[in-house]
Amino acid sequence: MLQSKAIEQIVNSFRTDYVFTYRDLGFPPEYSANAIRKLNRMADTGAIQRLSKGRFYKPKQTMFGNLKPSQQEVVKDLLEKEGKMVGYLTGVSIWGQLGLTTQISNIIEIGVKVKKNNTRRGMYSIRFVLQANQISKNNIPLLQLLDSIKNIKRIPDSTPDNSYNRIREIIKSLDEKSIDSMIKLALKYNPMTRAIVGAITEDLFGEERASVLRDTLNPITVYKVGLTKKVVSTKNFRII
C-alpha cells in the first residue's frame, strides 16, 4: 500500500505531456513488477493514459478534451541516448514547424545514422530515414532543412514553388557560420538536393559561394523538381 501511494505521488509530480515508463519512478529493480502492475491499474481507471505497451502519460486537459503528447515526447528515447543525439525528427512534423505545410500526420519520421526497422508506438507509425552526416544538437536544424529540400516534391498541401520560396527565406535568415555548415552537410545529400541548395546559395550569396556544390554535379544533368521559371533565377544548376 505504501509503495502504491508513493507511485501515485511520483506520477502526480510529472508534468502533463511527459511520457514515462516504470523506470522513471526510480524504484529498485525488485519493485519493477509491482510498479508495472500499479501503472497499468492507473491506466485502466483513467488516472493516466497508455501510449503504448509500458509507456504512459498524463494528458493535458483542455475544454476540447485531452491532448496527446507531442511527437518529440513520444519518441524522445529514440532521439537521445546517454546525452548523445542518435536521431532527430524530420518529415511532416518538421515541415509544419518550418511553415512548409499545415497538415499533420500520424507518421513520425526520424533521421538516424544507423539503419533501424520501422515500428509503431500507439497511434503513430515510426519510420527511420538514414542520414549520411553525423548527428549533433547543433546541426539538427540544418539537417531538417536539408531533408525538407530533399523531399520538396512530396511536401503536402504545398507546391514546389511555394516550398522553394519558403526554404529560400529560411536560408536567407541563416548566419554565416550556419550557411557554411549547411553547404558542407549538403555535400552528402543526393544531386537534386545539392542542386537546389546550390541554386538558392548562388541566388542569395553569389556564384563563388555556390561553386563547391556546382562542382559536385554532372554538368549535363537536368533536375526535374517542378519549379516555374520565375522561381529559380540561376541557370547554372539546371533545375526545372
Side-chain angles (χ1 to χ4, degrees):
M1 179 63 71
L2 184 61
Q3 187 188 64
S4 180
K5 288 293 184 183
I7 291 173
E8 291 180 11
Q9 291 176 354
I10 294 171
V11 169
N12 288 336
S13 72
F14 292 153
R15 72 176 191 275
T16 55
D17 189 57
Y18 178 71
V19 174
F20 59 92
T21 71
Y22 75 91
R23 295 183 181 87
D24 295 295
L25 302 175
F27 288 102
E30 58 266 28
Y31 293 106
S32 60
N34 288 339
I36 292 170
R37 282 195 292 270
K38 174 61 178 177
L39 292 175
N40 281 316
R41 286 197 298 270
M42 292 179 70
D44 291 340
T45 62
I48 58 177
Q49 297 292 311
R50 186 181 287 106
L51 174 66
S52 58
K53 185 177 180 180
R55 297 186 179 278
F56 308 89
Y57 66 96
K58 285 174 26 181
K60 184 176 182 179
Q61 297 178 341
T62 72
M63 61 184 296
F64 303 106
N66 294 338
L67 297 182
K68 294 186 180 298
S70 66
Q71 291 188 359
Q72 180 91 19
E73 188 67 22
V74 168
V75 297
K76 62 184 178 181
D77 58 304
L78 303 175
L79 307 180
E80 187 172 354
K81 299 288 187 183
E82 299 177 352
K84 181 180 179 182
M85 301 307 300
V86 296
Y88 63 94
L89 286 179
T90 188
V92 176
S93 59
I94 295 303
W95 298 340
Q97 293 178 27
L98 293 177
L100 293 167
T101 185
T102 57
Q103 289 197 9
I104 58 176
S105 174
N106 62 355
I107 297 173
I108 301 178
E109 292 186 72
I110 300 176
V112 291
K113 185 70 176 171
V114 180
K115 185 177 180 180
K116 292 186 176 182
N117 293 327
N118 297 337
T119 186
R120 289 196 65 88
R121 187 163 286 182
M123 64 176 286
Y124 296 105
S125 296
I126 301 174
R127 298 178 181 175
F128 296 96
V129 181
L130 280 177
Q131 171 57 250
N133 290 287
Q134 292 296 325
I135 299 169
S136 69
K137 288 184 179 180
N138 290 333
N139 72 11
I140 284 175
L142 295 175
L143 296 177
Q144 292 169 331
L145 180 60
L146 290 167
D147 287 352
S148 301
I149 295 171
K150 178 182 177 181
N151 293 286
I152 192 170
K153 292 192 286 185
R154 72 178 188 93
I155 295 174
D157 194 31
S158 184
T159 65
D161 275 9
N162 289 338
S163 296
Y164 184 94
N165 286 331
R166 174 57 187 155
I167 289 167
R168 182 185 181 280
E169 288 304 307
I170 295 171
I171 292 176
K172 185 178 180 180
S173 70
L174 297 177
D175 58 38
E176 291 293 314
K177 183 178 179 181
S178 295
I179 294 165
D180 288 340
S181 296
M182 177 195 67
I183 293 171
K184 184 177 180 180
L185 293 169
L187 294 174
K188 292 190 176 182
Y189 277 75
N190 63 4
M192 189 194 77
T193 304
R194 300 201 303 273
I196 295 173
V197 175
I200 294 175
T201 300
E202 181 175 309
D203 178 28
L204 294 174
F205 313 112
E207 290 188 29
E208 184 177 352
R209 198 78 173 273
S211 63
V212 65
L213 290 164
R214 187 176 63 249
D215 292 345
T216 69
L217 300 172
N218 187 318
I220 62 172
T221 299
V222 175
Y223 302 98
K224 298 180 180 179
V225 180
L227 298 172
T228 59
K229 292 181 180 179
K230 66 180 181 180
V231 172
V232 183
S233 62
T234 176
K235 296 182 180 179
N236 290 334
F237 289 88
R238 299 165 304 283
I239 299 171
I240 61 174

